[in-house]
Amino acid sequence: MRSYRCMPMAAALAWAACLPCAAVAQSYPSKAIRVVVPFAAGSATDTVGRSYTAKFNELLGQAGVIDNRPGANGMIGAEAVAKAAPDGYTILCGTNSTNAALVSLYKKLPYDQDKDFVPIAFLGSVPLIVAVNNTLPVKNLKDMIALAKSKPGEFLYASASTSQRVSTEMFANMAGIKLTMVPYKSSPHAITDLIAGQVMMFTADLAVTMPQVKAGKIKGLAVTSLKRTALIDLPTVEEAGGLKGYELIAWFAAYAPRGTPQPVIERLNTALNNAANSKEVKDRLIAFGVETSPHTPAQLGERTRVETVKWAKAIKDAGIQPE
């Protein structure tokens, strides 16, 4: 017969085990939170990171401090967070590059995407614009494809991130053209060279390209989403280039080092989701083409898994070999 005399002791032990978690939840945060942005200031990831951290004082009672760690397609910043103390005071403003695509672009990463991070919250997604230099004698995407076919390999395109590279190579593969990549450390540098004519093409998120297209400094030819965006009057790549099913969008999400206490993850998730639903953050991000979509940590974990498979296929279909 089962003894019930053990129940009070078992309950006491379970209650005692919860005390550290409760203490963590009540005391966190007690100092500023470092948000590592693995791309340069002025990039879309930087814009997203700063939009959210601007709400930290209001929602968490502590400041959020941006730490830009650009380089190696986001790998440098992601590694810094993977190796940081799992105490909730260092989080990653991750992207489709750092947390989905790089595992297929490189033979070896300095961190384990699946084991070294724990998902916190989804921050938003944004389509890209296929843009070209103003001097290029093209009126639309089909003109550009025809021009590139007439000069195989001579057409230079800029790339400062995984989404920029994969979107362009996937486009080239589907269009049957050969382009030559010019790597950049930051999107602002790449857009400057596109305007100057050092490169002829740059496919980058709306946050980087849309202001320059609207200012008439570069030509926007198409957006990389399956549906048009209301933010700028451009056709989709599928429509403009006749490339059936073409789609590639960038996204952003927050991750913490593995081992970060669950109460801390939940506190951060609540704060970031509240920020995503706030008028200030929504208005700021939509101006850059970024749409928010609050997730639970579990939903972000599943989305990361699905996106990793999706990007692996896109990279393979684009003919990109791991470095």
Side-chain angles (χ1 to χ4, degrees), residues 41-265:
S43 64
T45 313
D46 182 68
T47 297
V48 170
R50 291 180 189 277
S51 297
Y52 277 91
T53 54
K55 297 283 288 182
F56 272 31
N57 259 324
E58 176 187 334
L59 297 172
L60 290 165
Q62 293 290 340
V65 179
I66 293 291
D67 181 4
N68 292 97
R69 296 284 189 96
N73 285 319
M75 200 185 303
I76 293 173
E79 180 184 10
V81 176
K83 295 180 178 178
D87 55 9
Y89 292 101
T90 301
I91 63 177
L92 175 69
C93 184
T95 70
N96 48 274
S97 293
T98 58
N99 294 85
L102 291 187
V103 69
S104 295
L105 284 173
Y106 292 90
K107 294 177 181 177
K108 186 177 181 180
L109 295 179
Y111 59 87
D112 188 309
Q113 172 190 298
D114 300 318
K115 296 180 180 179
D116 291 344
F117 297 104
V118 58
I120 300 174
F122 190 73
L123 304 179
S125 59
V126 61
L128 287 65
I129 292 178
V130 180
V132 296
N133 177 266
N134 275 340
T135 63
L136 208 64
V138 300
K139 293 182 179 180
N140 52 51
L141 197 60
K142 286 187 176 179
D143 287 349
M144 196 227 90
I145 292 172
L147 181 62
K149 282 183 177 179
S150 70
K151 300 179 179 181
E154 295 180 27
F155 208 93
L156 305 181
Y157 79 88
S159 173
S161 74
T162 300
S163 57
Q164 294 165 11
R165 180 186 178 189
V166 176
S167 62
T168 308
E169 292 293 345
M170 188 165 71
F171 161 73
N173 181 266
M174 292 177 70
I177 58 178
K178 182 174 176 55
L179 306 174
T180 299
M181 181 179 73
V182 178
Y184 285 85
K185 289 186 177 180
S186 72
S187 293
H189 187 189
I191 202 81
T192 297
D193 274 10
L194 177 67
I195 293 170
Q198 299 300 314
V199 291
M200 291 293 102
M201 176 184 177
F202 187 35
T203 302
D205 52 79
L206 270 69
V208 173
T209 51
M210 187 168 63
Q212 308 301 335
V213 172
K214 289 189 172 181
K217 294 182 178 180
I218 55 177
K219 294 179 187 177
L221 300 182
V223 291
T224 62
S225 48
L226 281 175
K227 295 181 180 179
R228 295 191 182 202
T229 173
L231 294 171
I232 190 166
D233 185 20
L234 288 174
T236 66
V237 169
E238 181 178 79
E239 293 172 322
L243 306 181
K244 185 69 174 176
Y246 179 96
E247 181 203 27
L248 194 141
I249 60 174
W251 52 265
F252 316 91
Y255 298 87
R258 179 66 61 182
T260 301
Q262 188 60 30
V264 171
I265 297 297

Side-chain angles (χ1 to χ4, degrees), residues 48 110 123 137 220 224 272 304 306 310 320:
V48 170
L123 304 179
T224 62
L272 290 171
T304 302
V306 171
K310 175 184 173 181
I320 301 173

Side-chain angles (χ1 to χ4, degrees), residues 27 40 48 61 100 268 279 296:
S27 63
V48 170
L268 286 168
K279 186 177 187 304
T296 64

